[in-house]
Amino acid sequence: MLGNIIVGLVFAGIVIFALTRVISDAKNKKCSCGSSCCGKTKCNKGV
Amino acid sequence: MKIALAGNPNCGKTTLYNAITGKTESVGNWSGVTVAKKEAHLRKKYNSKGLDDIKVVDLPGAYSISPFTSEEAVTRSFILDENPDVIINIVDGANISRSLFFTTQLLELGIPVIIALNKADVISRRGDKVDINLLSKELNCKIVPTNAITGEGLIELLDDAIQLGIEKKAPVKPKFQGCDSEDSDIARQRYIDEIIEKCQVKTRDASQVTLSDKIDRIVAHKWLGLPIFFLIMWAVYSISIEGIGGYLSEYFNETLFGEIVPNAVNAFLEGLGVSPFLQALIVDGAIAGVGAVVGFLPLIAVLFFCLALLEDCGYMARVAVLMDRFFKKIGLSGKSIIPMIVGSGCGVPGVMATRTIEDINEKRMTTILTPFVPCGAKLPIIALFTAVFFPDNAWIAPTIYIVAIGVIVVGGLLLKKIFVWENTSQFIMEIPEYKLPSLKYAFAQVIDKSKGFIRKATTIILVCNTLVWFTQAYGWNLQPVEDQSLSILASIGKVIAPILIPLGFVGWQMAAASVTGFLAKENVVATFAVLLAAGSEEALYIPGGELTQFFTPVTGLAFLMFNLFTPPCFAAIGAMSSELGSKKWLFRALAFQFSVGYTLAMLVSQIGSLIVYGKPTTGFIPAIIVSIVVVLYLVLTIKKRGSQPSELGVEV
């Protein structure tokens, strides 16, 4: 039971962390494909 | 303090930026690699005065302060609106005369300027001499010779730049005859030419045929050039998919993520007494999905290594010139090839690179066609389907890239006919000299792309496939299901599946994989890995493996085409939306891409089955109906557009 709780919490933490990164990337229009993909909000002002 | 790096395209701004900030932004041996400004803090090593918060801004290349393309507009608006404390003007040692046009304009703005005479090695290699002291005196501006690749002169450059930023001393404006006249640009160039005549001694005979010229006579030859390009690209993809990349991927997929990792995690979780549900969610969901994608990392690494070498030696710039002649016929120009080559890494920077194109029609057309180039994310799909269905035909995977070029050409012709576009732009490109490619640069590219690939696998792929596992194991009543076809995922897939019937794809699994593929293309592979992991212990990519229960080799090839040529992932669609500038054009672009991918997959599936198996595959009648609709639409639209070209001219 304790094993389930610990493993479940760790896995849920990893998935939630990954989800926040996905949402953050989506908001910043990043594709996570390396440095060539930069955040539009940062670099496209005035275009 | 804010230090701006400004200069002509391909003068080495981003290389210098990476050196002084420690970043690894994309650089390339051609113009137009940087299309947006980038900011980072100066490395301590170069901050001799120990000032806090020194930011360095890398700006897109510009030939003049008057913008011609949208990325030049970024440079202009930054310099004029954001008032940097000092500008480091990078002057290309290989083209001093042309670079100084922009320099003299910068000196008129009242912002402190220091000149970095970059590529000093090129000047000495050519045997040319530049009197830096005299040039500095003529321009009333400090000049530091630098080599951004080796780091030579950078400490001195930054010392002087920071000092100038502290003093905020405005430069002396250059004075030349005719500076206020209407022909001020001509007068300015004349002034620069006079300075160059005094300060530069050229020993090279321009009429002499160099080794670079001799190589160009072959690789950029109007008839030989194209077959050579195809051969080189075919070799690159062969090495990546079938060679060392494929060999390492086989180990990653079969042994590392097929046995070692799942067995170790299973043993660990069993030891902790974790429930079978949680164990399956982690091993069959998260690890199977992420592992199926990460397993293809060696392939991606080898591909980008080879492409980086080709680009760094100067060959890719020749390809742009070579393709110009052919692209002109479909309303594009050589400029369009740059976004497409960048797009072979990732569609997002590829689409963003269309900013270097000033003609609005050509830019839109390139934005629509660039996602047809198979990006790194599509590589795992190509590798998986060719390994399962064509294990003995090593030529199929690299040929897919040649097919992509064919799709771009046909797609371009169709776009031109449908929207009656005329290309008015002229293509002028500066060809860099050939050089030995840098292994350091190639490895840096590989590390950068690999980091991005792993990041994607551990974020969006992990989240998606955890969700995919849950939805394929549970029903709407949130109870586990014995039969996958009763699951949540199956019920969603069944709604979309009928659309795929004319393509010969029968089954909700294909629909589910295609839908997750729109979130990230790697998800196609990962979704199959999760769906099939539940029913089989066999590695996904084994030749003649589990995937054959869904596809014949021909329909497998058609499914590959469908996923390669239908609209790209959401991130790339977002970039398309920005570059196309309107929802109307985005909708048109997506409709066009979907129609191309759908029609191509349908033709491959039905005609291919007819030829190979002697009978069409499932959905032949719906396929005929769809074909008639497509042909009628094309004929009527082209006829209508042809009769009213003036009314349909695109808005600028």
Side-chain angles (χ1 to χ4, degrees):
Chain A
M1 185 62 186
L2 190 64
N4 275 335
I5 293 170
I6 294 169
V7 173
L9 282 175
V10 170
F11 184 67
I14 293 170
V15 173
I16 290 167
F17 176 71
L19 187 63
T20 54
R21 298 283 291 266
V22 171
I23 293 168
S24 147
D25 284 353
K27 272 186 185 168
N28 294 325
K29 292 188 178 176
K30 278 176 86 175
C31 66
S32 315
C33 292
S35 62
S36 49
C37 304
C38 54
K40 290 276 172 114
T41 49
K42 274 195 274 177
C43 61
N44 270 357
K45 282 177 187 168
V47 178
Chain B
M1 181 183 287
K2 207 174 260 184
I3 301 173
L5 304 182
N8 287 178
N10 202 31
C11 66
K13 290 177 297 301
T14 307
T15 308
L16 196 144
Y17 171 81
N18 286 343
I20 63 175
T21 62
K23 294 278 171 187
T24 53
E25 298 294 351
S26 275
V27 290
N29 192 9
W30 55 23
S31 56
V33 177
T34 309
V35 290
K37 74 179 171 76
K38 289 170 179 137
E39 283 185 19
H41 283 97
L42 183 68
R43 282 167 80 181
K44 278 185 184 167
K45 183 182 162 186
Y46 296 106
N47 186 359
S48 58
K49 304 246 178 326
L51 296 183
D52 289 336
D53 200 30
I54 300 186
K55 273 188 186 166
V56 182
V57 184
D58 181 26
L59 296 169
Y63 289 110
S64 157
I65 203 76
S66 314
F68 193 50
T69 60
S70 55
E71 91 270 18
E72 283 185 337
V74 175
T75 301
R76 177 197 160 91
S77 60
F78 178 83
I79 292 173
L80 297 183
D81 302 338
E82 297 199 28
N83 289 323
D85 296 288
V86 58
I87 298 172
I88 296 180
N89 172 224
I90 294 106
V91 167
D92 183 353
N95 291 290
I96 301 175
S97 166
R98 197 201 51 211
S99 301
L100 290 185
F101 189 92
F102 187 42
T103 305
T104 53
Q105 289 184 322
L106 291 176
L107 290 169
E108 290 170 352
L109 301 176
I111 301 168
V113 175
I114 183 164
I115 296 172
L117 185 61
N118 202 28
K119 302 186 187 176
D121 56 320
V122 176
I123 306 171
S124 54
R125 199 167 62 233
R126 285 179 177 176
D128 295 349
K129 277 181 190 156
V130 178
D131 186 339
I132 291 172
N133 291 331
L134 185 59
L135 185 60
S136 175
K137 203 175 152 194
E138 289 286 334
L139 292 168
N140 284 308
C141 183
K142 169 97 181 166
I143 300 174
V144 181
T146 57
N147 184 335
I149 297 171
T150 60
E152 201 183 309
L154 296 188
I155 291 181
E156 190 194 341
L157 175 73
L158 267 301
D159 275 356
D160 290 343
I162 294 168
Q163 188 59 40
L164 266 178
I166 294 168
E167 290 171 3
K168 290 196 182 296
K169 194 178 158 193
V172 179
K173 286 184 186 178
K175 283 181 188 152
F176 53 91
Q177 210 175 9
C179 60
D180 297 321
S181 68
E182 276 186 14
D183 293 331
S184 63
D185 284 353
I186 296 170
R188 185 184 299 277
Q189 192 58 52
R190 202 179 298 129
Y191 165 68
I192 292 161
D193 290 343
E194 282 167 13
I195 294 177
I196 291 296
E197 201 152 306
K198 282 186 217 165
C199 307
Q200 190 175 15
V201 180
K202 287 189 176 180
T203 54
R204 193 176 60 144
D205 178 9
S207 62
Q208 196 185 349
V209 178
T210 62
L211 178 67
S212 187
D213 296 333
K214 285 177 187 166
I215 299 171
D216 276 342
R217 282 179 185 177
I218 300 169
V219 299
H221 187 270
K222 65 176 181 177
W223 298 118
L224 284 176
L226 204 58
I228 290 172
F229 170 62
F230 283 151
L231 207 66
I232 290 174
M233 293 315 283
W234 196 84
V236 165
Y237 290 114
S238 290
I239 294 165
S240 314
I241 298 173
E242 305 293 342
I244 185 164
Y247 177 77
L248 288 172
S249 277
E250 197 176 312
Y251 172 79
F252 269 50
N253 279 315
E254 195 175 334
T255 313
L256 190 65
F257 292 108
E259 290 171 12
I260 298 173
V261 176
N263 291 350
V265 176
N266 269 328
F268 176 70
L269 296 178
E270 274 166 21
L272 287 176
V274 169
S275 74
F277 160 77
L278 195 53
Q279 202 172 325
L281 178 66
I282 294 170
V283 178
D284 294 342
I287 293 176
V290 173
V293 172
V294 176
F296 291 100
L297 182 62
L299 243 131
I300 305 276
V302 176
L303 175 69
F304 286 117
F305 183 79
C306 296
L307 290 179
L309 291 182
L310 277 181
E311 191 234 294
D312 196 36
C313 74
Y315 176 68
M316 287 307 195
R318 270 80 184 171
V319 173
V321 176
L322 187 69
M323 296 303 269
D324 182 57
R325 197 160 61 96
F326 301 97
F327 273 21
K328 271 269 186 295
K329 295 190 188 338
I330 59 166
L332 297 174
S333 77
K335 273 200 169 182
S336 305
I337 196 75
I338 296 169
M340 288 174 189
I341 293 171
V342 176
S344 67
C346 173
V348 175
V351 168
M352 282 168 69
T354 57
R355 283 177 207 179
T356 55
I357 301 168
E358 59 273 12
D359 182 277
I360 188 77
N361 293 339
E362 191 184 342
K363 182 181 171 181
R364 281 182 178 148
M365 211 163 161
T366 311
T367 305
I368 297 170
L369 296 174
T370 294
F372 286 145
V373 178
C375 64
K378 291 173 182 172
L379 198 61
I381 316 176
I382 297 172
L384 173 70
F385 277 78
T386 51
V388 172
F389 296 104
F390 310 101
D392 303 322
N393 301 88
W395 55 273
I396 289 202
T399 307
I400 298 288
Y401 290 87
I402 310 296
V403 172
I405 295 172
V407 171
I408 287 166
V409 172
V410 175
L413 280 172
L414 281 174
L415 280 175
K416 195 179 171 184
K417 290 282 178 195
I418 293 172
F419 298 111
V420 200
W421 282 344
E422 288 302 327
N423 181 5
T424 55
S425 77
Q426 296 299 319
F427 175 58
I428 300 169
M429 189 181 187
E430 184 193 326
I431 301 290
E433 284 194 15
Y434 281 111
K435 63 169 184 145
L436 270 181
S438 154
L439 287 179
K440 190 181 158 195
Y441 165 73
F443 278 117
Q445 287 282 304
V446 168
I447 289 168
D448 182 49
K449 301 284 182 194
S450 302
K451 269 160 69 180
F453 191 72
I454 291 172
R455 183 188 151 105
K456 211 170 165 189
T458 51
T459 52
I460 193 162
I461 307 295
L462 173 73
V463 172
C464 282
N465 288 288
T466 305
L467 198 67
V468 165
W469 183 89
F470 181 79
T471 53
Q472 63 83 40
Y474 280 73
W476 287 106
N477 56 2
L478 298 183
Q479 293 298 314
V481 287
E482 288 281 320
D483 184 356
Q484 260 184 353
S485 62
L486 302 172
S487 65
I488 299 171
L489 189 65
S491 63
I492 296 169
K494 280 172 188 169
V495 175
I496 301 155
I499 300 169
L500 303 181
I501 288 176
L503 280 60
F505 311 147
V506 185
W508 58 269
Q509 293 91 338
M510 281 84 109
S514 300
V515 169
T516 57
F518 285 114
L519 295 172
K521 286 292 172 185
E522 299 94 328
N523 264 334
V524 174
V525 171
T527 301
F528 276 121
V530 173
L531 289 176
L532 299 175
S536 168
E537 292 293 314
E538 211 175 43
L540 179 69
Y541 79 97
I542 297 266
E546 286 292 303
L547 273 178
T548 51
Q549 63 179 288
F550 300 120
F551 304 103
T552 62
V554 171
T555 56
L557 187 64
F559 188 74
L560 183 56
M561 298 290 173
F562 179 73
N563 281 287
L564 295 187
F565 301 120
T566 44
C569 65
F570 268 37
I573 292 173
M576 280 170 61
S577 174
S578 299
E579 300 309 324
L580 288 169
S582 77
K583 294 283 171 241
K584 183 181 87 178
W585 274 102
L586 179 67
F587 177 75
R588 283 178 172 180
L590 295 179
F592 179 79
Q593 287 169 343
F594 186 81
S595 308
V596 168
Y598 190 91
T599 310
L600 186 65
M602 191 172 72
L603 293 175
V604 169
S605 181
Q606 298 297 347
I607 297 175
S609 296
L610 205 60
I611 294 168
V612 177
Y613 309 120
K615 59 175 184 181
T617 188
T618 318
F620 185 60
I621 302 295
I624 290 176
I625 296 168
V626 172
S627 304
I628 292 169
V629 172
V630 169
V631 171
L632 276 177
Y633 171 79
L634 280 177
V635 170
L636 291 175
T637 310
I638 292 169
K639 208 172 163 187
K640 192 176 154 195
R641 299 287 198 254
S643 63
Q644 304 167 303
S646 55
E647 284 176 34
L648 290 151
V650 283
E651 68 275 25
V652 177

Short mmCIF file of all heavy atoms in Angstrom, two decimals, chain B residues 277 469-470 472-483 486-487:
data_model
loop_
_atom_site.label_atom_id
_atom_site.label_comp_id
_atom_site.label_asym_id
_atom_site.label_seq_id
_atom_site.Cartn_x
_atom_site.Cartn_y
_atom_site.Cartn_z
N PHE B 277 -2.07 -2.23 -11.89
CA PHE B 277 -2.58 -1.08 -12.65
C PHE B 277 -1.49 -0.01 -12.79
O PHE B 277 -1.17 0.44 -13.88
CB PHE B 277 -3.82 -0.49 -11.95
CG PHE B 277 -4.11 0.93 -12.37
CD1 PHE B 277 -4.69 1.20 -13.60
CD2 PHE B 277 -3.78 2.00 -11.55
CE1 PHE B 277 -4.93 2.50 -14.01
CE2 PHE B 277 -4.02 3.31 -11.95
CZ PHE B 277 -4.60 3.57 -13.18
N TRP B 469 -2.61 5.45 -22.68
CA TRP B 469 -2.69 4.15 -22.00
C TRP B 469 -3.98 4.07 -21.17
O TRP B 469 -4.69 3.08 -21.21
CB TRP B 469 -1.47 3.92 -21.08
CG TRP B 469 -1.54 2.55 -20.46
CD1 TRP B 469 -1.03 1.40 -21.00
CD2 TRP B 469 -2.20 2.17 -19.26
NE1 TRP B 469 -1.33 0.33 -20.19
CE2 TRP B 469 -2.05 0.77 -19.11
CE3 TRP B 469 -2.91 2.87 -18.28
CZ2 TRP B 469 -2.57 0.06 -18.03
CZ3 TRP B 469 -3.44 2.17 -17.20
CH2 TRP B 469 -3.26 0.77 -17.09
N PHE B 470 -4.25 5.16 -20.45
CA PHE B 470 -5.44 5.14 -19.60
C PHE B 470 -6.71 5.00 -20.44
O PHE B 470 -7.57 4.19 -20.13
CB PHE B 470 -5.50 6.44 -18.76
CG PHE B 470 -6.69 6.48 -17.85
CD1 PHE B 470 -6.68 5.79 -16.65
CD2 PHE B 470 -7.84 7.18 -18.20
CE1 PHE B 470 -7.79 5.79 -15.81
CE2 PHE B 470 -8.95 7.18 -17.38
CZ PHE B 470 -8.92 6.49 -16.17
N GLN B 472 -7.07 3.71 -23.37
CA GLN B 472 -7.22 2.42 -24.07
C GLN B 472 -7.49 1.28 -23.08
O GLN B 472 -7.88 0.18 -23.48
CB GLN B 472 -6.01 2.11 -24.96
CG GLN B 472 -4.67 1.94 -24.27
CD GLN B 472 -4.43 0.56 -23.69
OE1 GLN B 472 -4.77 -0.45 -24.29
NE2 GLN B 472 -3.86 0.52 -22.49
N ALA B 473 -7.28 1.52 -21.79
CA ALA B 473 -7.49 0.46 -20.79
C ALA B 473 -8.80 0.62 -20.05
O ALA B 473 -9.27 -0.31 -19.39
CB ALA B 473 -6.33 0.46 -19.80
N TYR B 474 -9.42 1.81 -20.15
CA TYR B 474 -10.63 2.09 -19.38
C TYR B 474 -11.79 2.50 -20.28
O TYR B 474 -11.59 3.07 -21.35
CB TYR B 474 -10.35 3.20 -18.35
CG TYR B 474 -9.64 2.66 -17.12
CD1 TYR B 474 -8.31 2.28 -17.18
CD2 TYR B 474 -10.31 2.48 -15.92
CE1 TYR B 474 -7.66 1.75 -16.09
CE2 TYR B 474 -9.67 1.94 -14.81
CZ TYR B 474 -8.34 1.58 -14.90
OH TYR B 474 -7.73 1.04 -13.81
N GLY B 475 -12.99 2.21 -19.79
CA GLY B 475 -14.20 2.61 -20.51
C GLY B 475 -14.71 3.93 -19.95
O GLY B 475 -14.15 4.47 -18.99
N TRP B 476 -15.81 4.43 -20.54
CA TRP B 476 -16.37 5.71 -20.09
C TRP B 476 -16.87 5.63 -18.64
O TRP B 476 -17.00 6.65 -17.96
CB TRP B 476 -17.50 6.16 -21.01
CG TRP B 476 -16.99 6.66 -22.35
CD1 TRP B 476 -17.07 6.01 -23.53
CD2 TRP B 476 -16.31 7.90 -22.61
NE1 TRP B 476 -16.48 6.75 -24.53
CE2 TRP B 476 -16.01 7.92 -23.99
CE3 TRP B 476 -15.92 8.98 -21.82
CZ2 TRP B 476 -15.37 8.98 -24.59
CZ3 TRP B 476 -15.27 10.05 -22.44
CH2 TRP B 476 -14.99 10.05 -23.80
N ASN B 477 -17.18 4.39 -18.19
CA ASN B 477 -17.63 4.23 -16.79
C ASN B 477 -16.44 4.17 -15.81
O ASN B 477 -16.60 3.88 -14.65
CB ASN B 477 -18.48 2.97 -16.67
CG ASN B 477 -17.73 1.72 -17.14
OD1 ASN B 477 -16.54 1.81 -17.53
ND2 ASN B 477 -18.38 0.59 -17.12
N LEU B 478 -15.24 4.45 -16.33
CA LEU B 478 -13.98 4.44 -15.56
C LEU B 478 -13.68 3.07 -14.94
O LEU B 478 -13.05 2.98 -13.90
CB LEU B 478 -13.98 5.54 -14.50
CG LEU B 478 -14.07 6.98 -15.02
CD1 LEU B 478 -13.97 7.98 -13.90
CD2 LEU B 478 -12.99 7.27 -16.06
N GLN B 479 -14.20 2.02 -15.59
CA GLN B 479 -13.88 0.65 -15.18
C GLN B 479 -12.92 0.06 -16.23
O GLN B 479 -13.04 0.38 -17.43
CB GLN B 479 -15.16 -0.20 -15.15
CG GLN B 479 -16.16 0.21 -14.07
CD GLN B 479 -15.59 0.07 -12.65
OE1 GLN B 479 -14.97 -0.95 -12.33
NE2 GLN B 479 -15.76 1.10 -11.83
N PRO B 480 -11.97 -0.79 -15.78
CA PRO B 480 -11.06 -1.39 -16.77
C PRO B 480 -11.84 -2.23 -17.79
O PRO B 480 -12.86 -2.83 -17.43
CB PRO B 480 -10.15 -2.29 -15.93
CG PRO B 480 -10.40 -1.93 -14.52
CD PRO B 480 -11.70 -1.26 -14.42
N VAL B 481 -11.38 -2.24 -19.03
CA VAL B 481 -12.07 -3.04 -20.05
C VAL B 481 -11.15 -4.20 -20.47
O VAL B 481 -9.94 -4.05 -20.55
CB VAL B 481 -12.44 -2.19 -21.30
CG1 VAL B 481 -13.59 -1.26 -21.00
CG2 VAL B 481 -11.24 -1.41 -21.82
N GLU B 482 -11.79 -5.33 -20.70
CA GLU B 482 -11.04 -6.52 -21.15
C GLU B 482 -10.61 -6.35 -22.60
O GLU B 482 -9.53 -6.69 -23.00
CB GLU B 482 -11.95 -7.76 -21.05
CG GLU B 482 -12.24 -8.22 -19.63
CD GLU B 482 -11.08 -9.01 -19.04
OE1 GLU B 482 -10.51 -9.82 -19.79
OE2 GLU B 482 -10.74 -8.78 -17.86
N ASP B 483 -11.56 -5.78 -23.37
CA ASP B 483 -11.36 -5.64 -24.81
C ASP B 483 -11.08 -4.15 -25.12
O ASP B 483 -11.89 -3.28 -24.79
CB ASP B 483 -12.66 -6.10 -25.50
CG ASP B 483 -12.52 -6.08 -27.00
OD1 ASP B 483 -11.46 -5.65 -27.49
OD2 ASP B 483 -13.48 -6.49 -27.68
N LEU B 486 -13.59 -1.59 -26.50
CA LEU B 486 -14.66 -1.00 -25.68
C LEU B 486 -14.15 0.20 -24.88
O LEU B 486 -14.86 0.76 -24.04
CB LEU B 486 -15.22 -2.06 -24.71
CG LEU B 486 -15.78 -3.33 -25.35
CD1 LEU B 486 -16.10 -4.37 -24.29
CD2 LEU B 486 -17.02 -3.01 -26.18
N SER B 487 -12.91 0.59 -25.13
CA SER B 487 -12.29 1.64 -24.32
C SER B 487 -12.71 3.05 -24.77
O SER B 487 -13.34 3.22 -25.82
CB SER B 487 -10.77 1.52 -24.43
OG SER B 487 -10.38 1.77 -25.76
#
